[in-house]
Amino acid sequence: MYATALDCSAKNFSKRISLDLLRFTPGGISRAELARQMGLTRSALTTIIGDLMESELVREAEDGPASGGRRPVLLEINPQRGRVAGIDLGATHLHLLITDFAANILAEAESPLNITDGPQVCLGKVHTRLNRLLDESRLSWQEISAVGVGVPGPVEAQIGAVSAPPIMPGWDNFPIRAYLSELWKRPLSLNNDADLGALGEWSYGAGRGERNLAYIKVGTGIGAGLLLNGNMYHGNSGSAGEIGHITIREDGPPCTCGSRGCLEAMAGGNAIASRARAAAKAGRRTQLASFTPLDTLSARDVAAAARLGDLVAQQIIAESGALLGIAIASLINLVNPGLVVIGGGVAECGDLLLEPIRKAVQERSLRSSGQAVRITASLLGRRSSSMGAVVQALNLALDTLVDHS
Ligand SMILES: [Zn+2]
């Protein structure tokens, strides 16, 4: 009896590994290649794939154009097997995705959100917006197998809540995961947004194939998601990667975390917006001065003006880039990643932000790690974190289906 249970769980484990290889190998993978990568005999693999095909999780890919010779049949995840939702709560926005099992996007929505309104108001908005998206795209809750959610604060995985999140007042220890999974009656995964950005970019974006990757989200908050040796690194209580609270200037401006001179307080979205307002008030020649009222001017507006060639806006973005570069150089010295992906709203400026980062990294990181690292903009743009949430939702959905297959 015990041996049977053990065989069963070992088999399920092999099923999950083969599903992950199928998910993250672009273009599909043959049975022979799958057996080789998993170190299984051909007959053991045939049994596993047979089970997965019977439960309609895996299918044979349709043949592309023949290029001569007999080609092996490629396997892929069956996209039609189900759907999941990925949701990213930012400080000022909400982004939602509904995808099939192959992570193809079926529906998408974005709404403004003020995270400081607290959990009841914000999660109510998430619920309303997700229901509306399902309605608009003629999908129903019955089709959604699992949901992934990202939030801009340190997540304690065991309790499914954020602890002392600097830019999320009122959310401390609110049971986000329990609240939403009870409301939606679905398995639910809760993660930090920068961690999800790293996962999203690794799975479907700029970081494919990288084993050591750092994703830096530059928005109102600044956070890093770390993938080390192929695994996400969360730290002891979920707050690894809080690069926004590295001290850049000892006597600098006060930060939301209670300290002073943090990177976030000097280079994050609020710092960018307040520098732009100060420049406009000081009468500098900039199109930012035409914003009325000036108080509504956001970092996103500064980024847009910079892209349109506004010199004052470009200078403000470059100053942020130089400060980010100082902190990123330290991160590079510390963990020696192969790739640093810059994402978040401010990163939409592209090279205007990236070049000063690269320059500071070159000047300040050790040659051995500085030369080994590439610094690039995110490929998924504003979808990085919500795609990471989709990956987590699919993990949950596949776990459940394999356990019951
Ligand atoms: Zn801080």
Side-chain angles (χ1 to χ4, degrees), residues 201 206-207 214 339-343 347 351 354 358 374-379:
E201 290 291 332
L339 181 71
V340 175
V341 181
I342 314 287
D351 280 344
L354 260 65
R358 291 190 183 111
R374 283 187 301 126
I375 298 173
T376 180
S378 84
L379 207 59

Side-chain angles (χ1 to χ4, degrees), residues 166 244-246 255-260 262-265:
H245 302 286
I246 283 184
C255 180
T256 49
C257 71
S259 181
R260 301 189 78 86
C262 295
L263 175 66
E264 189 170 295

Side-chain angles (χ1 to χ4, degrees), residues 354-367:
L354 260 65
E355 277 309 319
I357 293 179
R358 291 190 183 111
K359 186 163 172 284
V361 165
Q362 246 172 25
E363 286 168 1
R364 291 170 188 273
S365 60
L366 289 180
R367 201 155 40 142

Side-chain angles (χ1 to χ4, degrees), residues 112-250:
L113 181 85
N114 186 355
I115 202 81
T116 59
D117 286 342
Q120 300 287 355
V121 172
C122 290
L123 299 180
K125 269 189 187 169
V126 172
H127 180 60
T128 308
R129 193 65 193 88
L130 180 55
N131 279 328
R132 203 167 96 212
L133 183 62
L134 287 165
D135 274 354
E136 287 163 356
S137 42
R138 294 167 195 273
L139 294 164
S140 72
W141 264 111
Q142 276 73 36
E143 297 171 80
I144 305 294
S145 305
V147 184
V149 175
V151 286
V155 171
E156 280 206 52
Q158 271 165 354
I159 55 171
V162 284
S163 63
I167 59 169
M168 298 174 73
W171 290 76
D172 191 20
N173 285 322
F174 182 88
I176 306 170
R177 189 174 58 210
Y179 180 89
L180 289 178
S181 62
E182 178 59 30
L183 181 65
W184 293 333
K185 309 278 186 273
R186 292 290 179 286
L188 192 127
S189 160
L190 180 76
N191 292 89
N192 168 265
D193 61 348
D195 288 354
L196 290 179
L199 188 61
E201 290 291 332
W202 176 83
S203 305
Y204 305 111
R208 284 194 150 192
E210 286 289 340
R211 288 190 60 75
N212 293 294
L213 173 152
Y215 170 87
I216 317 285
K217 186 163 190 169
V218 190
T220 306
I222 299 176
L226 302 173
L227 186 101
L228 304 177
N229 276 331
N231 291 305
M232 291 302 305
Y233 182 75
H234 303 291
N236 208 33
S237 57
S239 62
E242 288 292 336
I243 194 172
H245 302 286
I246 283 184
T247 305
I248 294 291
R249 190 180 299 153
E250 214 177 341

